Short mmCIF file of all heavy atoms in Angstrom, two decimals:
data_model
loop_
_atom_site.label_atom_id
_atom_site.label_comp_id
_atom_site.label_asym_id
_atom_site.label_seq_id
_atom_site.Cartn_x
_atom_site.Cartn_y
_atom_site.Cartn_z
N MET A 1 75.08 66.34 175.21
CA MET A 1 75.05 67.27 174.11
C MET A 1 74.16 66.73 172.94
O MET A 1 74.18 65.61 172.68
CB MET A 1 76.47 67.46 173.54
CG MET A 1 76.62 68.48 172.46
SD MET A 1 78.40 68.79 171.99
CE MET A 1 78.87 67.21 171.29
N TYR A 2 73.30 67.68 172.47
CA TYR A 2 72.50 67.29 171.36
C TYR A 2 73.14 67.83 170.07
O TYR A 2 73.86 68.83 170.11
CB TYR A 2 71.13 68.01 171.40
CG TYR A 2 70.20 67.38 172.41
CD1 TYR A 2 70.17 67.83 173.81
CD2 TYR A 2 69.27 66.40 172.09
CE1 TYR A 2 69.36 67.30 174.68
CE2 TYR A 2 68.43 65.93 173.04
CZ TYR A 2 68.49 66.32 174.32
OH TYR A 2 67.61 65.82 175.30
N CYS A 3 72.91 67.21 168.94
CA CYS A 3 73.31 67.66 167.68
C CYS A 3 72.10 67.79 166.77
O CYS A 3 71.27 66.86 166.65
CB CYS A 3 74.28 66.61 167.07
SG CYS A 3 74.80 67.06 165.40
N ASN A 4 71.96 68.98 166.12
CA ASN A 4 70.98 69.19 165.08
C ASN A 4 71.62 69.21 163.77
O ASN A 4 72.75 69.81 163.64
CB ASN A 4 70.27 70.57 165.32
CG ASN A 4 69.35 70.54 166.45
OD1 ASN A 4 68.85 69.51 166.91
ND2 ASN A 4 69.03 71.75 166.93
N ILE A 5 70.96 68.69 162.80
CA ILE A 5 71.44 68.88 161.44
C ILE A 5 70.41 69.77 160.62
O ILE A 5 69.21 69.64 160.96
CB ILE A 5 71.77 67.60 160.71
CG1 ILE A 5 70.60 66.64 160.68
CG2 ILE A 5 72.99 66.86 161.23
CD1 ILE A 5 70.65 65.47 159.71
N ILE A 6 70.95 70.55 159.69
CA ILE A 6 70.07 71.40 158.90
C ILE A 6 70.40 71.06 157.42
O ILE A 6 71.18 71.67 156.77
CB ILE A 6 70.37 72.87 159.19
CG1 ILE A 6 70.34 73.14 160.68
CG2 ILE A 6 69.41 73.79 158.43
CD1 ILE A 6 70.90 74.45 161.11
N PRO A 7 69.73 70.00 156.90
CA PRO A 7 70.01 69.51 155.55
C PRO A 7 69.82 70.60 154.53
O PRO A 7 70.49 70.60 153.49
CB PRO A 7 69.04 68.36 155.40
CG PRO A 7 68.70 67.94 156.76
CD PRO A 7 68.76 69.14 157.59
N GLU A 8 68.90 71.55 154.74
CA GLU A 8 68.63 72.57 153.78
C GLU A 8 69.92 73.46 153.53
O GLU A 8 70.09 74.03 152.46
CB GLU A 8 67.53 73.53 154.23
CG GLU A 8 66.25 72.89 154.61
CD GLU A 8 66.30 72.46 156.08
OE1 GLU A 8 65.97 73.33 156.90
OE2 GLU A 8 66.61 71.30 156.41
N ASN A 9 70.83 73.51 154.52
CA ASN A 9 72.02 74.29 154.41
C ASN A 9 73.20 73.53 153.84
O ASN A 9 74.17 74.07 153.43
CB ASN A 9 72.44 74.79 155.70
CG ASN A 9 71.46 75.91 156.25
OD1 ASN A 9 70.61 76.37 155.56
ND2 ASN A 9 71.69 76.38 157.52
N CYS A 10 73.08 72.24 153.86
CA CYS A 10 74.25 71.31 153.59
C CYS A 10 74.57 71.43 152.10
O CYS A 10 73.75 71.45 151.19
CB CYS A 10 73.81 69.85 153.85
SG CYS A 10 75.12 68.67 153.51
N ILE A 11 75.90 71.51 151.83
CA ILE A 11 76.38 71.57 150.41
C ILE A 11 77.08 70.31 150.02
O ILE A 11 77.81 70.23 149.04
CB ILE A 11 77.35 72.73 150.21
CG1 ILE A 11 78.53 72.63 151.21
CG2 ILE A 11 76.57 74.09 150.41
CD1 ILE A 11 79.71 73.60 150.94
N ALA A 12 76.86 69.18 150.82
CA ALA A 12 77.39 67.85 150.44
C ALA A 12 78.86 67.82 150.25
O ALA A 12 79.43 67.21 149.41
CB ALA A 12 76.65 67.34 149.18
N CYS A 13 79.58 68.50 151.18
CA CYS A 13 81.04 68.53 151.04
C CYS A 13 81.73 67.26 151.63
O CYS A 13 82.82 66.96 151.27
CB CYS A 13 81.59 69.75 151.79
SG CYS A 13 81.63 69.58 153.58
N GLY A 14 81.04 66.58 152.51
CA GLY A 14 81.52 65.29 153.04
C GLY A 14 82.40 65.38 154.29
O GLY A 14 82.80 64.34 154.79
N LEU A 15 82.64 66.54 154.72
CA LEU A 15 83.58 66.64 155.82
C LEU A 15 83.07 66.06 157.15
O LEU A 15 83.88 65.38 157.87
CB LEU A 15 83.94 68.09 156.10
CG LEU A 15 84.95 68.77 155.07
CD1 LEU A 15 85.10 70.17 155.30
CD2 LEU A 15 86.27 68.07 155.06
N CYS A 16 81.86 66.25 157.48
CA CYS A 16 81.39 65.78 158.79
C CYS A 16 81.47 64.25 158.90
O CYS A 16 81.79 63.72 159.94
CB CYS A 16 79.96 66.29 159.05
SG CYS A 16 78.77 65.82 157.82
N GLN A 17 81.24 63.58 157.83
CA GLN A 17 81.29 62.09 157.82
C GLN A 17 82.79 61.63 157.99
O GLN A 17 83.00 60.53 158.57
CB GLN A 17 80.66 61.48 156.61
CG GLN A 17 80.05 60.08 156.82
CD GLN A 17 81.03 59.04 156.31
OE1 GLN A 17 81.98 59.33 155.64
NE2 GLN A 17 80.75 57.82 156.73
N ILE A 18 83.62 62.37 157.47
CA ILE A 18 85.11 62.07 157.70
C ILE A 18 85.46 62.13 159.10
O ILE A 18 86.15 61.23 159.67
CB ILE A 18 85.95 62.97 156.77
CG1 ILE A 18 85.81 62.69 155.33
CG2 ILE A 18 87.47 62.85 157.17
CD1 ILE A 18 86.47 63.68 154.40
N TYR A 19 85.02 63.21 159.83
CA TYR A 19 85.42 63.38 161.17
C TYR A 19 84.61 62.62 162.18
O TYR A 19 85.09 62.41 163.27
CB TYR A 19 85.45 64.90 161.50
CG TYR A 19 86.56 65.62 160.70
CD1 TYR A 19 86.32 66.35 159.62
CD2 TYR A 19 87.89 65.50 161.09
CE1 TYR A 19 87.29 67.04 158.92
CE2 TYR A 19 88.87 66.02 160.37
CZ TYR A 19 88.54 66.83 159.33
OH TYR A 19 89.63 67.37 158.53
N ALA A 20 83.35 62.35 161.92
CA ALA A 20 82.47 61.70 162.85
C ALA A 20 81.67 60.64 162.06
O ALA A 20 80.45 60.74 161.92
CB ALA A 20 81.58 62.69 163.60
N PRO A 21 82.31 59.64 161.62
CA PRO A 21 81.57 58.61 160.76
C PRO A 21 80.53 57.82 161.47
O PRO A 21 79.68 57.16 160.86
CB PRO A 21 82.75 57.77 160.20
CG PRO A 21 83.84 57.95 161.26
CD PRO A 21 83.71 59.27 161.71
N GLU A 22 80.59 57.78 162.87
CA GLU A 22 79.59 57.07 163.57
C GLU A 22 78.30 57.85 163.77
O GLU A 22 77.31 57.33 164.14
CB GLU A 22 80.13 56.64 164.98
CG GLU A 22 81.30 55.69 164.90
CD GLU A 22 80.89 54.39 164.19
OE1 GLU A 22 79.84 53.90 164.54
OE2 GLU A 22 81.74 53.90 163.34
N ILE A 23 78.39 59.10 163.48
CA ILE A 23 77.22 60.01 163.67
C ILE A 23 76.62 60.43 162.33
O ILE A 23 75.41 60.44 162.16
CB ILE A 23 77.67 61.30 164.54
CG1 ILE A 23 78.26 60.83 165.87
CG2 ILE A 23 76.47 62.22 164.66
CD1 ILE A 23 77.29 60.08 166.75
N PHE A 24 77.46 60.81 161.37
CA PHE A 24 76.88 61.42 160.16
C PHE A 24 76.95 60.42 158.99
O PHE A 24 77.94 59.66 158.88
CB PHE A 24 77.65 62.68 159.81
CG PHE A 24 77.62 63.71 160.89
CD1 PHE A 24 78.71 64.00 161.68
CD2 PHE A 24 76.42 64.37 161.21
CE1 PHE A 24 78.67 64.98 162.64
CE2 PHE A 24 76.33 65.32 162.19
CZ PHE A 24 77.47 65.64 162.94
N ASP A 25 76.02 60.57 158.09
CA ASP A 25 76.00 59.80 156.90
C ASP A 25 75.31 60.72 155.84
O ASP A 25 75.00 61.85 156.07
CB ASP A 25 75.27 58.52 157.07
CG ASP A 25 75.65 57.42 156.05
OD1 ASP A 25 76.34 57.76 155.11
OD2 ASP A 25 75.26 56.27 156.24
N TYR A 26 75.09 60.14 154.67
CA TYR A 26 74.53 60.98 153.58
C TYR A 26 73.45 60.26 152.85
O TYR A 26 73.42 59.05 152.74
CB TYR A 26 75.67 61.32 152.53
CG TYR A 26 76.80 61.95 153.20
CD1 TYR A 26 78.01 61.27 153.45
CD2 TYR A 26 76.67 63.29 153.69
CE1 TYR A 26 79.02 61.93 154.14
CE2 TYR A 26 77.67 63.85 154.33
CZ TYR A 26 78.85 63.19 154.56
OH TYR A 26 79.86 63.81 155.27
N ASP A 27 72.54 61.03 152.23
CA ASP A 27 71.56 60.50 151.38
C ASP A 27 72.16 60.31 149.99
O ASP A 27 73.36 60.54 149.78
CB ASP A 27 70.29 61.35 151.40
CG ASP A 27 70.46 62.69 150.75
OD1 ASP A 27 71.45 62.91 150.07
OD2 ASP A 27 69.51 63.49 150.95
N ASP A 28 71.32 59.91 148.97
CA ASP A 28 71.76 59.67 147.66
C ASP A 28 72.41 60.83 146.92
O ASP A 28 73.19 60.70 146.03
CB ASP A 28 70.61 59.08 146.80
CG ASP A 28 70.22 57.73 147.26
OD1 ASP A 28 71.01 57.09 148.00
OD2 ASP A 28 69.11 57.34 146.89
N GLU A 29 72.02 62.04 147.43
CA GLU A 29 72.62 63.26 146.83
C GLU A 29 73.73 63.82 147.67
O GLU A 29 74.19 64.95 147.39
CB GLU A 29 71.47 64.29 146.65
CG GLU A 29 70.38 63.81 145.70
CD GLU A 29 69.27 64.81 145.58
OE1 GLU A 29 69.14 65.71 146.39
OE2 GLU A 29 68.55 64.66 144.54
N GLY A 30 74.17 63.09 148.72
CA GLY A 30 75.31 63.57 149.47
C GLY A 30 74.95 64.57 150.57
O GLY A 30 75.82 65.11 151.16
N ILE A 31 73.63 64.66 150.78
CA ILE A 31 73.21 65.61 151.91
C ILE A 31 73.20 64.90 153.21
O ILE A 31 72.78 63.69 153.32
CB ILE A 31 71.78 66.15 151.57
CG1 ILE A 31 71.81 66.86 150.25
CG2 ILE A 31 71.30 67.05 152.68
CD1 ILE A 31 72.71 68.06 150.09
N VAL A 32 73.68 65.59 154.26
CA VAL A 32 73.90 65.01 155.57
C VAL A 32 72.60 64.40 156.09
O VAL A 32 71.50 64.98 155.99
CB VAL A 32 74.44 66.09 156.50
CG1 VAL A 32 73.46 67.19 156.84
CG2 VAL A 32 74.94 65.45 157.78
N LEU A 33 72.74 63.26 156.86
CA LEU A 33 71.68 62.74 157.66
C LEU A 33 72.36 62.10 158.87
O LEU A 33 73.55 61.89 158.90
CB LEU A 33 70.78 61.83 156.95
CG LEU A 33 71.42 60.63 156.11
CD1 LEU A 33 71.74 59.47 156.95
CD2 LEU A 33 70.42 60.16 155.08
N LEU A 34 71.54 61.77 159.85
CA LEU A 34 72.08 61.13 161.06
C LEU A 34 72.15 59.64 160.81
O LEU A 34 71.13 59.05 160.46
CB LEU A 34 71.21 61.49 162.27
CG LEU A 34 71.29 62.98 162.64
CD1 LEU A 34 70.24 63.29 163.66
CD2 LEU A 34 72.68 63.33 163.21
N LYS A 35 73.32 59.10 160.98
CA LYS A 35 73.53 57.67 160.56
C LYS A 35 72.56 56.70 161.21
O LYS A 35 71.98 55.83 160.57
CB LYS A 35 74.97 57.28 160.93
CG LYS A 35 75.35 55.92 160.47
CD LYS A 35 76.87 55.67 160.75
CE LYS A 35 77.26 54.31 160.19
NZ LYS A 35 78.73 54.09 160.39
N LYS A 36 72.34 56.87 162.56
CA LYS A 36 71.50 55.88 163.25
C LYS A 36 70.15 56.42 163.47
O LYS A 36 69.31 55.70 164.07
CB LYS A 36 72.18 55.55 164.62
CG LYS A 36 73.46 54.81 164.36
CD LYS A 36 74.21 54.45 165.66
CE LYS A 36 75.54 53.75 165.39
NZ LYS A 36 76.43 53.75 166.48
N HIS A 37 69.81 57.61 162.95
CA HIS A 37 68.48 58.21 163.17
C HIS A 37 68.08 58.99 161.93
O HIS A 37 67.88 60.17 161.94
CB HIS A 37 68.47 59.12 164.35
CG HIS A 37 68.95 58.53 165.62
ND1 HIS A 37 68.12 57.81 166.43
CD2 HIS A 37 70.16 58.48 166.21
CE1 HIS A 37 68.81 57.31 167.44
NE2 HIS A 37 70.08 57.68 167.36
N SER A 38 68.16 58.31 160.79
CA SER A 38 68.05 58.98 159.45
C SER A 38 66.69 59.58 159.28
O SER A 38 66.51 60.43 158.35
CB SER A 38 68.40 57.97 158.35
OG SER A 38 67.46 56.88 158.39
N ASP A 39 65.75 59.26 160.12
CA ASP A 39 64.39 59.86 159.99
C ASP A 39 64.32 61.17 160.83
O ASP A 39 63.26 61.78 160.89
CB ASP A 39 63.29 58.85 160.37
CG ASP A 39 63.45 58.38 161.78
OD1 ASP A 39 64.69 58.25 162.28
OD2 ASP A 39 62.51 57.99 162.46
N LYS A 40 65.35 61.53 161.57
CA LYS A 40 65.30 62.64 162.47
C LYS A 40 66.41 63.63 162.12
O LYS A 40 67.37 63.37 161.33
CB LYS A 40 65.51 62.15 163.97
CG LYS A 40 64.40 61.25 164.38
CD LYS A 40 64.58 60.87 165.82
CE LYS A 40 63.36 60.02 166.23
NZ LYS A 40 63.66 59.21 167.37
N GLN A 41 66.25 64.81 162.68
CA GLN A 41 67.34 65.85 162.53
C GLN A 41 67.93 66.22 163.82
O GLN A 41 68.68 67.22 163.87
CB GLN A 41 66.71 67.08 161.86
CG GLN A 41 66.22 66.77 160.39
CD GLN A 41 65.84 67.95 159.60
OE1 GLN A 41 65.89 69.03 159.99
NE2 GLN A 41 65.31 67.67 158.40
N GLN A 42 67.73 65.47 164.89
CA GLN A 42 68.38 65.74 166.17
C GLN A 42 68.68 64.47 166.86
O GLN A 42 67.82 63.51 166.77
CB GLN A 42 67.46 66.63 167.01
CG GLN A 42 68.19 67.03 168.37
CD GLN A 42 67.28 67.88 169.27
OE1 GLN A 42 66.41 67.37 169.92
NE2 GLN A 42 67.56 69.11 169.22
N GLN A 43 69.80 64.36 167.56
CA GLN A 43 70.08 63.22 168.38
C GLN A 43 70.97 63.65 169.51
O GLN A 43 71.63 64.68 169.50
CB GLN A 43 70.73 62.04 167.62
CG GLN A 43 72.15 62.26 167.30
CD GLN A 43 72.80 60.97 166.81
OE1 GLN A 43 72.81 60.69 165.61
NE2 GLN A 43 73.41 60.25 167.68
N ILE A 44 70.97 62.81 170.59
CA ILE A 44 71.92 62.94 171.65
C ILE A 44 73.26 62.37 171.22
O ILE A 44 73.25 61.25 170.63
CB ILE A 44 71.38 62.27 172.95
CG1 ILE A 44 70.06 62.99 173.41
CG2 ILE A 44 72.45 62.26 174.07
CD1 ILE A 44 69.50 62.35 174.62
N ILE A 45 74.30 63.07 171.46
CA ILE A 45 75.64 62.56 171.12
C ILE A 45 76.23 61.82 172.30
O ILE A 45 76.41 62.37 173.37
CB ILE A 45 76.57 63.72 170.70
CG1 ILE A 45 75.94 64.45 169.56
CG2 ILE A 45 77.94 63.22 170.35
CD1 ILE A 45 75.73 63.75 168.31
N PRO A 46 76.62 60.51 172.07
CA PRO A 46 77.24 59.77 173.17
C PRO A 46 78.60 60.44 173.48
O PRO A 46 79.30 61.03 172.66
CB PRO A 46 77.49 58.39 172.56
CG PRO A 46 76.77 58.28 171.28
CD PRO A 46 76.42 59.73 170.84
N SER A 47 78.97 60.34 174.76
CA SER A 47 80.08 61.06 175.25
C SER A 47 81.46 60.70 174.46
O SER A 47 82.24 61.49 174.18
CB SER A 47 80.39 60.81 176.78
OG SER A 47 80.42 59.45 177.03
N GLU A 48 81.48 59.43 174.05
CA GLU A 48 82.69 58.97 173.38
C GLU A 48 82.79 59.58 171.90
O GLU A 48 83.81 59.52 171.27
CB GLU A 48 82.81 57.44 173.29
CG GLU A 48 81.75 56.74 172.49
CD GLU A 48 80.42 56.42 173.28
OE1 GLU A 48 80.24 56.98 174.35
OE2 GLU A 48 79.71 55.62 172.80
N GLU A 49 81.71 60.15 171.46
CA GLU A 49 81.69 60.80 170.12
C GLU A 49 81.75 62.30 170.21
O GLU A 49 81.78 62.94 169.14
CB GLU A 49 80.43 60.36 169.35
CG GLU A 49 80.41 58.96 168.85
CD GLU A 49 81.57 58.66 167.80
OE1 GLU A 49 81.81 59.56 167.01
OE2 GLU A 49 82.09 57.56 167.89
N THR A 50 81.80 62.85 171.40
CA THR A 50 81.71 64.28 171.56
C THR A 50 82.84 65.02 170.77
O THR A 50 82.64 65.94 170.07
CB THR A 50 81.71 64.71 173.09
OG1 THR A 50 80.61 64.11 173.70
CG2 THR A 50 81.68 66.21 173.17
N ASP A 51 84.03 64.54 171.02
CA ASP A 51 85.21 65.21 170.34
C ASP A 51 85.10 65.13 168.83
O ASP A 51 85.40 66.15 168.15
CB ASP A 51 86.54 64.53 170.81
CG ASP A 51 86.88 64.76 172.26
OD1 ASP A 51 86.17 65.71 172.83
OD2 ASP A 51 87.80 64.17 172.76
N ASN A 52 84.69 64.03 168.28
CA ASN A 52 84.58 63.86 166.80
C ASN A 52 83.52 64.86 166.33
O ASN A 52 83.68 65.48 165.23
CB ASN A 52 84.23 62.48 166.40
CG ASN A 52 85.28 61.50 166.65
OD1 ASN A 52 86.51 61.91 166.81
ND2 ASN A 52 85.02 60.28 166.71
N VAL A 53 82.40 64.95 167.01
CA VAL A 53 81.32 65.81 166.57
C VAL A 53 81.69 67.33 166.69
O VAL A 53 81.34 68.10 165.80
CB VAL A 53 79.99 65.49 167.31
CG1 VAL A 53 78.94 66.51 167.00
CG2 VAL A 53 79.51 64.09 166.95
N LEU A 54 82.45 67.61 167.72
CA LEU A 54 82.96 68.98 167.80
C LEU A 54 83.80 69.39 166.58
O LEU A 54 83.72 70.50 166.05
CB LEU A 54 83.72 69.18 169.10
CG LEU A 54 82.93 69.51 170.32
CD1 LEU A 54 83.81 69.43 171.63
CD2 LEU A 54 82.33 70.93 170.26
N ILE A 55 84.67 68.45 166.16
CA ILE A 55 85.52 68.70 165.02
C ILE A 55 84.63 68.93 163.77
O ILE A 55 84.83 69.86 163.04
CB ILE A 55 86.57 67.59 164.78
CG1 ILE A 55 87.48 67.59 166.04
CG2 ILE A 55 87.33 67.87 163.48
CD1 ILE A 55 88.40 66.42 166.01
N ALA A 56 83.65 68.00 163.58
CA ALA A 56 82.79 68.03 162.42
C ALA A 56 82.04 69.35 162.48
O ALA A 56 81.82 70.02 161.35
CB ALA A 56 81.82 66.88 162.42
N TYR A 57 81.55 69.75 163.59
CA TYR A 57 80.88 71.07 163.80
C TYR A 57 81.73 72.21 163.25
O TYR A 57 81.28 73.11 162.59
CB TYR A 57 80.45 71.22 165.20
CG TYR A 57 80.05 72.56 165.59
CD1 TYR A 57 78.82 73.08 165.24
CD2 TYR A 57 80.90 73.38 166.43
CE1 TYR A 57 78.43 74.42 165.64
CE2 TYR A 57 80.54 74.54 166.80
CZ TYR A 57 79.36 75.19 166.49
OH TYR A 57 79.04 76.42 166.83
N ARG A 58 82.95 72.21 163.73
CA ARG A 58 83.83 73.30 163.36
C ARG A 58 84.21 73.27 161.91
O ARG A 58 84.53 74.36 161.28
CB ARG A 58 85.11 73.24 164.25
CG ARG A 58 84.81 73.49 165.68
CD ARG A 58 86.15 73.61 166.48
NE ARG A 58 85.83 73.67 167.92
CZ ARG A 58 86.27 72.85 168.87
NH1 ARG A 58 86.98 71.83 168.59
NH2 ARG A 58 85.90 73.11 170.14
N LYS A 59 84.29 72.12 161.31
CA LYS A 59 84.74 71.97 159.89
C LYS A 59 83.60 72.34 158.87
O LYS A 59 83.83 72.61 157.77
CB LYS A 59 85.23 70.61 159.62
CG LYS A 59 86.51 70.24 160.41
CD LYS A 59 87.74 70.94 159.79
CE LYS A 59 89.01 70.51 160.51
NZ LYS A 59 90.22 71.23 159.97
N CYS A 60 82.36 72.14 159.36
CA CYS A 60 81.25 72.34 158.39
C CYS A 60 81.24 73.81 157.87
O CYS A 60 81.19 74.72 158.75
CB CYS A 60 79.86 72.05 159.09
SG CYS A 60 78.54 72.27 158.00
N PRO A 61 81.37 73.98 156.62
CA PRO A 61 81.63 75.35 156.08
C PRO A 61 80.34 76.18 156.02
O PRO A 61 80.42 77.35 155.82
CB PRO A 61 82.12 75.11 154.63
CG PRO A 61 81.62 73.75 154.24
CD PRO A 61 81.54 72.97 155.54
N VAL A 62 79.17 75.59 156.26
CA VAL A 62 77.92 76.25 156.04
C VAL A 62 77.03 76.26 157.33
O VAL A 62 75.89 76.62 157.32
CB VAL A 62 77.14 75.75 154.85
CG1 VAL A 62 77.86 76.13 153.55
CG2 VAL A 62 76.92 74.29 154.97
N ARG A 63 77.61 75.79 158.45
CA ARG A 63 76.88 75.71 159.69
C ARG A 63 75.63 74.92 159.58
O ARG A 63 74.55 75.32 160.03
CB ARG A 63 76.58 77.10 160.28
CG ARG A 63 77.87 77.81 160.69
CD ARG A 63 78.45 77.23 161.89
NE ARG A 63 79.84 77.63 162.10
CZ ARG A 63 80.22 78.32 163.18
NH1 ARG A 63 79.33 78.66 164.08
NH2 ARG A 63 81.49 78.50 163.37
N ALA A 64 75.70 73.81 158.95
CA ALA A 64 74.49 72.86 158.83
C ALA A 64 74.48 71.94 160.00
O ALA A 64 73.58 71.07 159.98
CB ALA A 64 74.56 72.12 157.46
N ILE A 65 75.40 72.01 160.93
CA ILE A 65 75.45 71.31 162.14
C ILE A 65 75.33 72.24 163.32
O ILE A 65 76.09 73.23 163.33
CB ILE A 65 76.74 70.40 162.20
CG1 ILE A 65 76.80 69.45 161.07
CG2 ILE A 65 76.79 69.71 163.59
CD1 ILE A 65 78.16 68.80 160.90
N GLU A 66 74.37 71.98 164.23
CA GLU A 66 74.34 72.78 165.44
C GLU A 66 74.51 71.91 166.66
O GLU A 66 74.06 70.76 166.61
CB GLU A 66 72.92 73.49 165.52
CG GLU A 66 72.62 74.50 164.45
CD GLU A 66 71.24 75.04 164.61
OE1 GLU A 66 70.41 74.36 165.30
OE2 GLU A 66 71.01 76.04 164.00
N LEU A 67 75.20 72.35 167.71
CA LEU A 67 75.37 71.65 168.92
C LEU A 67 74.61 72.39 170.08
O LEU A 67 74.68 73.62 170.15
CB LEU A 67 76.83 71.53 169.21
CG LEU A 67 77.67 70.81 168.19
CD1 LEU A 67 79.08 70.69 168.63
CD2 LEU A 67 77.14 69.44 167.91
N ILE A 68 73.93 71.61 170.90
CA ILE A 68 73.23 72.13 172.03
C ILE A 68 73.60 71.43 173.26
O ILE A 68 73.48 70.18 173.30
CB ILE A 68 71.68 72.06 171.80
CG1 ILE A 68 71.32 72.74 170.50
CG2 ILE A 68 70.91 72.60 172.98
CD1 ILE A 68 69.85 72.36 169.99
N LYS A 69 74.14 72.14 174.22
CA LYS A 69 74.52 71.53 175.46
C LYS A 69 73.29 71.13 176.30
O LYS A 69 72.28 71.87 176.31
CB LYS A 69 75.40 72.51 176.32
CG LYS A 69 76.77 72.59 175.68
CD LYS A 69 77.59 73.49 176.66
CE LYS A 69 78.96 73.67 176.04
NZ LYS A 69 79.77 74.73 176.82
N GLU A 70 73.33 69.96 176.90
CA GLU A 70 72.31 69.55 177.74
C GLU A 70 72.28 70.37 179.05
O GLU A 70 73.40 70.66 179.55
CB GLU A 70 72.42 68.04 178.10
CG GLU A 70 72.21 67.15 176.89
CD GLU A 70 72.41 65.69 177.22
OE1 GLU A 70 71.55 65.10 177.86
OE2 GLU A 70 73.48 65.19 176.94
N THR A 71 71.09 70.72 179.52
CA THR A 71 71.05 71.54 180.68
C THR A 71 70.74 70.67 181.90
O THR A 71 70.30 69.58 181.79
CB THR A 71 70.01 72.64 180.59
OG1 THR A 71 68.75 72.05 180.20
CG2 THR A 71 70.46 73.60 179.48
S1 LIG B 128 80.26 69.25 156.81
FE1 LIG B 128 78.36 70.48 156.60
S2 LIG B 128 78.08 70.96 154.44
FE2 LIG B 128 79.58 69.30 154.58
S3 LIG B 128 78.34 67.36 154.35
FE3 LIG B 128 78.49 67.90 156.58
S4 LIG B 128 76.69 69.04 157.07
FE4 LIG B 128 76.95 69.12 154.84
#
């Protein structure tokens, strides 16, 4: 599974980092970034983080997180 983030949509609510702290982090203004790939907006999600990222995806109030299944 791939995860895309859309920082332009992010309202800095902080929920995704609560549910998936190994994947999401924030810049100085609280806008989402990828913790281990802060220069990118997409990464592959390790299987052990899938459940956490699914919760974060569902909790994000503005759909600033997208999930794409690997084919
Ligand atoms: S849950 Fe969504 S709006 Fe909230 S910080 Fe994360 S990406 Fe931004």
Side-chain angles (χ1 to χ4, degrees):
M1 184 171 71
Y2 287 89
C3 176
N4 286 339
I5 55 170
I6 308 167
E8 310 88 81
N9 290 354
C10 177
I11 58 169
C13 75
L15 286 174
C16 57
Q17 206 263 347
I18 290 172
Y19 291 105
E22 295 302 315
I23 301 298
F24 301 110
D25 204 349
Y26 303 106
D27 68 12
D28 291 342
E29 296 179 344
I31 300 300
V32 67
L33 52 79
L34 294 169
K35 183 173 183 177
K36 293 176 182 164
H37 305 276
S38 59
D39 57 331
K40 298 183 177 161
Q41 295 187 4
Q42 183 181 77
Q43 77 166 86
I44 294 174
I45 302 301
S47 56
E48 66 272 18
E49 287 296 324
T50 299
D51 288 350
N52 291 341
V53 171
L54 273 170
I55 296 169
Y57 162 76
R58 291 185 186 123
K59 295 285 184 183
C60 179
V62 291
R63 295 291 164 116
I65 298 168
E66 294 178 341
L67 301 181
I68 303 166
K69 286 184 182 171
E70 291 177 76
T71 53

